[in-house]
C-alpha cells in the first residue's frame, strides 16, 4: 500500500496508464484516503468537462476573410511588420485574426477528438441483460433469454421474474423480483444505474468510484466488491455490504460502509450512520431513532445517543467515527470520549483536533480503527484479489477490441 498520497498518480490511474500492480496500490490507497479520493473526483470532473467541450462556429464576419485566405493560399504578413505604423499594425492584426481563429478551431477539434477517443475507448451504449426467471421487461417489451439495456431504458421485474445485468467489463448486477432499474450512464469514468424500487445485488471489480447507483434518497458509490441495495415504496433504502466497501452519499453527507455493515437512507434526509449488523438490537434501534426519528422521545427514557454509546463495542467505532461529524457540542465530546475509551487514538490525534473535525486527524484515526472494522483479516486481500482478477478481465476484453 502507498504510504504517501497518490495525487500524482491519479491522472495516469484514471486513464489506465499504470501497471496492474501500481493501479492496485493506488486503488488500495484510495479506499482509505479521503483526500486522494477528492483528487480523483477532480480528475474525473476534468475528463467529463473535456467530453462536454463543444465546437462553436466562428462569427460570420470572420468567414469571408478566412475563406479568401485559404483560397489565395497567401501567407499573412509576419508579425514584426506591425512595428512600421499603427495603420499597418491594424491591417496586419486583421490578417492574423482569421489565422488565430483557425488555430483555435483546430485546438478545439483536437480536444474534441481526444475526448471522443477517451469516451469510446471503453464505453458501450448498452449493457447485456440475461433473464434468470419469469418475464422481465426492457422498455415496454418482454425480454427473451438475452436482451440489451440501452441508456435511459428501464428494466423491470414482476413478482416472479429476475434478471442479471453485465455492467460493461467491470461486474454484474442481479435484479430481484418487483424491481425497477434504469441505465443512466455507461462510459470510461462512470457507470450509473438508477434503482427506483426493489432490490439489486452488485458484484463489481472496477477501481473505486466507477460504478454508481442512484436511489431516491442517496447515491451508492462502489469502492470495490459486493453489496445489496433495496429501495421501498416511499424511497427509503437499505445498503448491506457483503465484501469490500461502499460509499453512500447525498450532497455533503457521506457514509463509508465496510463489509458486514449496513446503512439506511431516508428521502429528504440522506444516508444515516453506518453500523455493523451484528451490533445489539438496542444499539441499532437507538441509532435509527438518532438518525431519522429524533422527535420520537417516547420509546425510551434514556436518550438515543446515550444508548448507542453504552452499547458500542470496539468494532462499533465505525458508527461512532461517523457520529463525530453528525453531532455537536457536548454530544460530540461524549462520542469522542467513548471512542477514546474503546480505542485510544494515536498520539498525533488530539481531543481538540477531533472536536473541531480536523480532517487529517480524523482520517489518521480512522486508518487505525479500520483494522478492527473487518471481521476477517483476509478481507483486504480478498478485495485486492478480486480487483486484480477484474483488471485481468478488463485487459483481456480490451485486447479483443
Ligand atoms: Zn492519500
Amino acid at each position: 500500500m502507498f504510504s504517501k498520497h497518490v495525487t500524482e498518480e491519479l491522472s495516469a490511474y484514471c486513464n489506465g496508464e499504470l501497471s496492474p500492480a501500481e493501479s492496485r496500490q493506488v486503488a488500495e490507497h484510495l479506499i482509505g484516503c479521503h483526500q486522494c479520493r477528492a483528487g480523483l473526483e477532480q480528475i474525473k470532473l476534468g475528463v467529463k468537462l473535456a467530453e462536454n467541450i463543444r465546437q462553436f462556429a466562428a462569427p460570420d464576419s470572420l468567414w469571408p476573410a478566412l475563406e479568401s485566405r485559404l483560397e489565395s493560399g497567401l501567407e499573412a504578413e509576419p508579425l514584426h511588420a506591425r512595428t512600421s505604423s499603427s495603420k499597418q499594425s491594424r491591417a496586419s492584426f486583421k490578417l492574423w485574426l482569421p489565422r488565430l481563429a483557425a488555430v483555435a478551431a483546430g485546438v478545439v477539434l483536437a480536444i474534441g477528438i481526444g475526448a471522443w477517443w477517451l469516451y469510446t475507448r471503453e464505453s458501450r451504449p448498452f449493457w447485456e441483460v440475461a433473464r434468470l426467471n419469469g418475464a422481465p421487461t426492457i422498455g415496454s417489451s418482454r425480454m427473451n433469454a438475452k436482451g440489451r439495456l440501452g441508456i435511459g431504458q428501464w428494466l423491470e421485474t414482476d413478482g416472479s421474474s429476475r434478471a442479471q445485468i453485465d455492467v460493461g467489463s467491470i461486474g454484474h448486477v442481479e435484479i430481484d423480483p418487483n424491481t425497477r432499474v434504469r441505465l443512466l450512464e455507461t462510459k470510461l469514468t462512470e457507470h450509473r444505474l438508477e434503482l427506483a424500487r426493489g432490490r439489486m445485488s452488485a458484484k463489481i471489480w472496477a477501481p473505486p468510484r466507477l460504478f454508481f447507483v442512484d436511489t431516491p434518497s442517496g447515491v451508492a458509490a462502489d469502492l470495490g466488491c459486493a453489496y445489496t441495495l433495496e429501495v421501498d415504496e416511499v424511497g427509503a433504502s437499505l445498503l448491506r455490504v457483503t465484501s469490500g466497501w461502499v460509499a453512500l452519499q447525498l450532497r455533503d453527507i457521506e457514509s463509508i460502509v465496510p463489509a458486514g455493515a449496513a446503512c439506511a437512507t431516508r428521502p429528504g434526509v440522506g444516508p444515516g450512520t453506518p453500523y455493523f449488523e451484528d451490533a445489539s438490537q438496542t444499539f441499532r434501534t437507538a441509532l435509527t431513532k438518532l438518525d431519522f426519528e429524533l422527535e420520537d422521545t417516547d420509546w425510551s427514557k434514556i436518550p438515543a445517543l446515550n444508548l448507542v454509546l453504552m452499547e458500542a463495542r470496539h468494532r462499533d467505532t465505525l458508527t461512532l467515527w461517523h457520529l463525530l461529524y453528525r453531532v455537536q457540542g457536548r454530544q460530540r465530546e461524549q462520542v469522542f470520549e467513548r471512542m477514546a475509551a474503546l480505542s485510544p487514538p494515536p498520539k498525533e490525534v488530539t481531543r481538540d483536533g477531533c472536536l473541531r473535525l480536523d480532517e487529517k486527524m480524523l482520517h489518521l484515526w480512522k486508518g487505525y480503527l479500520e483494522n478492527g472494522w473487518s471481521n476477517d483479516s483476509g478481507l483486504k486481500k480478498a478485495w485486492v484479489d478480486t480487483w486484480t482478477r477484474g483488471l485481468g478481465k478488463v485487459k483481456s476484453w480490451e485486447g479483443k477490441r
Side-chain angles (χ1 to χ4, degrees), residues 136-210:
T137 57
I138 292 179
S140 52
S141 29
R142 214 179 132 133
M143 69 172 285
N144 298 319
K146 301 269 180 205
R148 284 178 167 185
L149 184 65
I151 289 176
Q153 277 188 310
W154 287 98
L155 167 65
E156 206 162 347
T157 52
D158 61 15
S160 59
S161 54
R162 286 168 62 238
Q164 177 173 306
I165 305 173
D166 280 338
V167 183
S169 55
I170 63 161
H172 54 77
V173 174
E174 272 188 36
I175 305 299
D176 280 358
N178 295 317
T179 298
R180 207 167 128 75
V181 293
R182 177 160 66 139
L183 175 56
L184 294 178
E185 189 71 87
T186 176
K187 60 184 181 187
L188 181 68
T189 50
E190 184 178 314
H191 301 274
R192 191 177 287 267
L193 205 59
E194 176 183 349
L195 175 63
R197 71 171 148 75
R199 201 174 98 111
M200 52 159 270
S201 320
K203 259 206 179 75
I204 301 293
W205 45 74
R209 289 181 200 267
L210 267 189

Side-chain angles (χ1 to χ4, degrees), residues 105-124:
V107 169
V108 170
L109 187 67
I111 293 174
I113 289 171
W116 174 81
W117 173 79
L118 209 58
Y119 181 88
T120 53
R121 198 171 59 144
E122 263 200 24
S123 71
R124 290 190 291 178

Side-chain angles (χ1 to χ4, degrees), residues 84-324:
S84 50
S85 78
S86 67
K87 211 173 184 180
Q88 232 179 331
S89 159
R90 270 201 298 276
S92 150
F93 181 65
K94 270 187 184 166
L95 287 174
W96 270 86
L97 209 53
R99 178 172 270 202
L100 288 175
V103 169
V107 169
V108 170
L109 187 67
I111 293 174
I113 289 171
W116 174 81
W117 173 79
L118 209 58
Y119 181 88
T120 53
R121 198 171 59 144
E122 263 200 24
S123 71
R124 290 190 291 178
F126 59 84
W127 286 347
E128 305 279 359
V129 183
R131 179 164 55 93
L132 298 179
N133 284 117
T137 57
I138 292 179
S140 52
S141 29
R142 214 179 132 133
M143 69 172 285
N144 298 319
K146 301 269 180 205
R148 284 178 167 185
L149 184 65
I151 289 176
Q153 277 188 310
W154 287 98
L155 167 65
E156 206 162 347
T157 52
D158 61 15
S160 59
S161 54
R162 286 168 62 238
Q164 177 173 306
I165 305 173
D166 280 338
V167 183
S169 55
I170 63 161
H172 54 77
V173 174
E174 272 188 36
I175 305 299
D176 280 358
N178 295 317
T179 298
R180 207 167 128 75
V181 293
R182 177 160 66 139
L183 175 56
L184 294 178
E185 189 71 87
T186 176
K187 60 184 181 187
L188 181 68
T189 50
E190 184 178 314
H191 301 274
R192 191 177 287 267
L193 205 59
E194 176 183 349
L195 175 63
R197 71 171 148 75
R199 201 174 98 111
M200 52 159 270
S201 320
K203 259 206 179 75
I204 301 293
W205 45 74
R209 289 181 200 267
L210 267 189
F211 178 67
F212 300 87
V213 181
D214 290 7
T215 77
S217 52
V219 177
D222 180 84
L223 305 179
C225 279
Y227 63 91
T228 64
L229 185 60
E230 52 186 296
V231 173
D232 70 12
E233 293 302 325
V234 297
S237 59
L238 179 67
L239 166 78
R240 303 175 72 187
V241 180
T242 44
S243 81
W245 296 77
V246 178
L248 203 52
Q249 53 208 150
L250 185 75
R251 295 183 294 272
D252 57 342
I253 311 171
E254 183 177 67
S255 294
I256 307 283
V257 191
C263 187
T265 73
R266 296 281 172 91
V269 182
T273 316
Y275 58 90
F276 280 107
E277 295 196 275
D278 62 1
S280 75
Q281 181 62 51
T282 308
F283 180 92
R284 287 179 289 144
T285 309
L287 190 63
T288 304
K289 298 289 173 189
L290 196 58
D291 282 342
F292 305 117
E293 296 159 24
L294 258 187
E295 67 286 355
D296 178 9
T297 49
D298 295 340
W299 71 284
S300 160
K301 287 199 175 66
I302 305 172
L305 180 65
N306 294 42
L307 281 175
V308 167
L309 297 178
M310 276 158 53
E311 292 280 316
R313 307 158 300 166
H314 181 271
R315 204 178 181 213
D316 299 319
T317 49
L318 165 74
T319 303
L320 305 190
W321 185 87
H322 282 84
L323 272 179
L324 274 178

